Amino acid sequence: MALLKILRYPDPRLHKVAAPVTEFGERLAKLVADMAETMYDAPGVGLAATQVDVHERVVVIDTTETHDELRVFVNPEIIWASEEKQVYDEGCLSVPGIYDGVERPSQVKVRAQDAKGEFFELDCDGLLAVCIQHEMDHLMGKVFVEYLSPLKRNRIKAKLQKEERGMEREAALKAAGRRY
């Protein structure tokens, strides 16, 4: 297994639409294992392949405190959503340190395949419902901050770009220090 690099908003690759998975085998099993390791290390409760620059319809989720209920969703689709909505403070591994309320259906039914290609359906509510909708947005090229006002979104974008420039400068200084 290997830790994968998580793309940071506003990286344009986060807006690519993921393609359906058509081949189930060792490559997909390795991707799922690497995504799970990356999610747990971050730490997070969900990760879409888009976030690690793999543009395929793959999501891993584990909403438990004990990290022992990994769920894998390949080619997920929401086949039912409740009319009842809930607002949940969401965060994202691609938007570190930012949390804000997003309104979504409070319950959904998901149809997906597992890592071996077997179909299943799952009724989701609470954090799991929020998480699957959030991760499926990533597969469609959408980041949760796009639900926020343009003003909030622009402030978040500017803040993360400034942090990125700071990290790049710090890395350059460290690299320069090693050469001399």
Side-chain angles (χ1 to χ4, degrees), residues 27-72:
R27 187 193 64 79
L28 180 61
K30 180 175 178 357
L31 174 63
V32 166
D34 291 348
M35 285 176 61
E37 182 178 5
T38 302
M39 176 187 71
Y40 289 133
D41 182 71
V45 296
L47 186 67
T50 300
Q51 293 176 270
V52 293
D53 203 20
V54 176
H55 302 283
E56 297 178 28
R57 296 186 57 78
V58 179
V59 167
V60 295
I61 294 175
D62 187 342
T63 58
T64 66
E65 294 285 328
T66 52
H67 304 301
D68 60 357
E69 288 184 30
L70 181 68
R71 297 176 190 267
V72 177

